[in-house]
Amino acid sequence: RKEVEQDPGPFNVPEGATVAFNCTYSNSASQSFFWYRQDCRKEPKLLMSVYSSGNEDGRFTAQLNRASQYISLLIRDSKLSDSATYLCVVKQGSGGSNYKLTFGKGTLLTVNP
Amino acid sequence: DADVTQTPRNRITKTGKRIMLECSQTKGHDRMYWYRQDPGLGLQLIYYSFDVKDINKGEISDGYSVSRQAQAKFSLSLESAIPNQTALYFCATSDIGQGVSGELFFGEGSRLTVL
């Protein structure tokens, strides 16, 4: 099982649609979880952290299920500007030799007019 | 101006040449990282440094070396470039508090092509 695995995509959705991305991780000792967004030919940027109780930021909702080692990102009312690659990121450790931040391969989302 | 600046942004070179990618930051962060990104693959960590005297190998350090010249500068070298090192390279920084927040701040990337 890969350390961080995401839906392969690509996802093509119309404006206004709701779309969900899933991500699974293999290391049960993983401590923190994040979603990053990467526009075409640009650098990744943090979209949101994922908290144990689930969290929402506007149209975006992130959820974590530690028992199933699974996180998700839900985007409601999709906008054209949401078109990007979404990267699932998992962190183990906090410093020194045990630190590790692992990125998933990303899921490409295209929102169509 | 960008907080994390990479130079060069694009470089085409030949097999066997020595290449250096430079990264400088104005964010005042202690931690700096070098990643590479290949099409269809996730970001892979090459090296990271938690302060000027601390250098750690990442997942794919073979064929690469780094130098942390100052808190604000972290350079990546390919001593003898080979074609499978053709990739998009990102430098990133984080605050020491990144252990909690997880936020990395990336440069705009350096696209390297090795012929």
PDB file of all heavy atoms in Angstrom, chain A residues 1 24-25 65-70:
ATOM      1  N   ARG A   1       0.852  -1.198   0.000  1.00  0.00           N
ATOM      2  CA  ARG A   1       0.000   0.000   0.000  1.00  0.00           C
ATOM      3  C   ARG A   1       0.884   1.243   0.000  1.00  0.00           C
ATOM      4  O   ARG A   1       1.841   1.337   0.756  1.00  0.00           O
ATOM      5  CB  ARG A   1      -0.873   0.015   1.257  1.00  0.00           C
ATOM      6  CG  ARG A   1      -1.880   1.144   1.288  1.00  0.00           C
ATOM      7  CD  ARG A   1      -2.714   1.045   2.564  1.00  0.00           C
ATOM      8  NE  ARG A   1      -3.710   2.083   2.631  1.00  0.00           N
ATOM      9  CZ  ARG A   1      -4.537   2.229   3.659  1.00  0.00           C
ATOM     10  NH1 ARG A   1      -4.489   1.408   4.680  1.00  0.00           N
ATOM     11  NH2 ARG A   1      -5.430   3.185   3.672  1.00  0.00           N
ATOM     12  N   THR A  24      -6.169   8.129   1.213  1.00  0.00           N
ATOM     13  CA  THR A  24      -5.873   7.162   2.272  1.00  0.00           C
ATOM     14  C   THR A  24      -4.380   7.196   2.577  1.00  0.00           C
ATOM     15  O   THR A  24      -3.563   7.514   1.716  1.00  0.00           O
ATOM     16  CB  THR A  24      -6.270   5.737   1.877  1.00  0.00           C
ATOM     17  OG1 THR A  24      -5.598   5.393   0.656  1.00  0.00           O
ATOM     18  CG2 THR A  24      -7.769   5.613   1.674  1.00  0.00           C
ATOM     19  N   TYR A  25      -4.040   6.880   3.820  1.00  0.00           N
ATOM     20  CA  TYR A  25      -2.642   6.867   4.222  1.00  0.00           C
ATOM     21  C   TYR A  25      -2.361   5.554   4.944  1.00  0.00           C
ATOM     22  O   TYR A  25      -3.240   4.970   5.580  1.00  0.00           O
ATOM     23  CB  TYR A  25      -2.300   8.087   5.079  1.00  0.00           C
ATOM     24  CG  TYR A  25      -3.101   8.216   6.360  1.00  0.00           C
ATOM     25  CD1 TYR A  25      -2.609   7.720   7.563  1.00  0.00           C
ATOM     26  CD2 TYR A  25      -4.347   8.837   6.358  1.00  0.00           C
ATOM     27  CE1 TYR A  25      -3.343   7.839   8.739  1.00  0.00           C
ATOM     28  CE2 TYR A  25      -5.076   8.955   7.524  1.00  0.00           C
ATOM     29  CZ  TYR A  25      -4.585   8.452   8.706  1.00  0.00           C
ATOM     30  OH  TYR A  25      -5.301   8.571   9.864  1.00  0.00           O
ATOM     31  N   ASN A  65     -10.795  10.480   9.172  1.00  0.00           N
ATOM     32  CA  ASN A  65     -11.239   9.259   9.835  1.00  0.00           C
ATOM     33  C   ASN A  65      -9.982   8.463  10.176  1.00  0.00           C
ATOM     34  O   ASN A  65      -9.419   7.772   9.334  1.00  0.00           O
ATOM     35  CB  ASN A  65     -12.154   8.457   8.911  1.00  0.00           C
ATOM     36  CG  ASN A  65     -12.726   7.222   9.583  1.00  0.00           C
ATOM     37  OD1 ASN A  65     -12.038   6.550  10.362  1.00  0.00           O
ATOM     38  ND2 ASN A  65     -13.979   6.919   9.311  1.00  0.00           N
ATOM     39  N   ARG A  66      -9.538   8.591  11.416  1.00  0.00           N
ATOM     40  CA  ARG A  66      -8.291   7.922  11.818  1.00  0.00           C
ATOM     41  C   ARG A  66      -8.434   6.406  11.813  1.00  0.00           C
ATOM     42  O   ARG A  66      -7.490   5.691  11.496  1.00  0.00           O
ATOM     43  CB  ARG A  66      -7.861   8.392  13.203  1.00  0.00           C
ATOM     44  CG  ARG A  66      -7.246   9.790  13.209  1.00  0.00           C
ATOM     45  CD  ARG A  66      -6.623  10.101  14.556  1.00  0.00           C
ATOM     46  NE  ARG A  66      -6.113  11.457  14.625  1.00  0.00           N
ATOM     47  CZ  ARG A  66      -4.892  11.816  14.248  1.00  0.00           C
ATOM     48  NH1 ARG A  66      -4.062  10.900  13.762  1.00  0.00           N
ATOM     49  NH2 ARG A  66      -4.502  13.078  14.355  1.00  0.00           N
ATOM     50  N   ALA A  67      -9.603   5.911  12.169  1.00  0.00           N
ATOM     51  CA  ALA A  67      -9.795   4.454  12.224  1.00  0.00           C
ATOM     52  C   ALA A  67      -9.605   3.831  10.839  1.00  0.00           C
ATOM     53  O   ALA A  67      -9.004   2.762  10.698  1.00  0.00           O
ATOM     54  CB  ALA A  67     -11.180   4.139  12.770  1.00  0.00           C
ATOM     55  N   SER A  68     -10.102   4.514   9.827  1.00  0.00           N
ATOM     56  CA  SER A  68      -9.987   4.000   8.456  1.00  0.00           C
ATOM     57  C   SER A  68      -8.789   4.576   7.728  1.00  0.00           C
ATOM     58  O   SER A  68      -8.547   4.221   6.566  1.00  0.00           O
ATOM     59  CB  SER A  68     -11.266   4.317   7.673  1.00  0.00           C
ATOM     60  OG  SER A  68     -12.390   3.718   8.285  1.00  0.00           O
ATOM     61  N   GLN A  69      -8.065   5.497   8.393  1.00  0.00           N
ATOM     62  CA  GLN A  69      -6.878   6.125   7.802  1.00  0.00           C
ATOM     63  C   GLN A  69      -7.232   6.762   6.468  1.00  0.00           C
ATOM     64  O   GLN A  69      -6.658   6.450   5.407  1.00  0.00           O
ATOM     65  CB  GLN A  69      -5.730   5.099   7.679  1.00  0.00           C
ATOM     66  CG  GLN A  69      -5.281   4.618   9.032  1.00  0.00           C
ATOM     67  CD  GLN A  69      -4.124   3.615   9.010  1.00  0.00           C
ATOM     68  OE1 GLN A  69      -3.910   2.891   9.968  1.00  0.00           O
ATOM     69  NE2 GLN A  69      -3.373   3.582   7.939  1.00  0.00           N
ATOM     70  N   TYR A  70      -8.122   7.709   6.578  1.00  0.00           N
ATOM     71  CA  TYR A  70      -8.779   8.263   5.392  1.00  0.00           C
ATOM     72  C   TYR A  70      -9.081   9.731   5.644  1.00  0.00           C
ATOM     73  O   TYR A  70      -9.546  10.092   6.729  1.00  0.00           O
ATOM     74  CB  TYR A  70     -10.063   7.448   5.243  1.00  0.00           C
ATOM     75  CG  TYR A  70     -11.116   7.952   4.326  1.00  0.00           C
ATOM     76  CD1 TYR A  70     -11.269   7.414   3.068  1.00  0.00           C
ATOM     77  CD2 TYR A  70     -12.022   8.921   4.748  1.00  0.00           C
ATOM     78  CE1 TYR A  70     -12.294   7.847   2.244  1.00  0.00           C
ATOM     79  CE2 TYR A  70     -13.041   9.359   3.935  1.00  0.00           C
ATOM     80  CZ  TYR A  70     -13.180   8.812   2.685  1.00  0.00           C
ATOM     81  OH  TYR A  70     -14.188   9.236   1.875  1.00  0.00           O
TER      82      TYR A  70
END
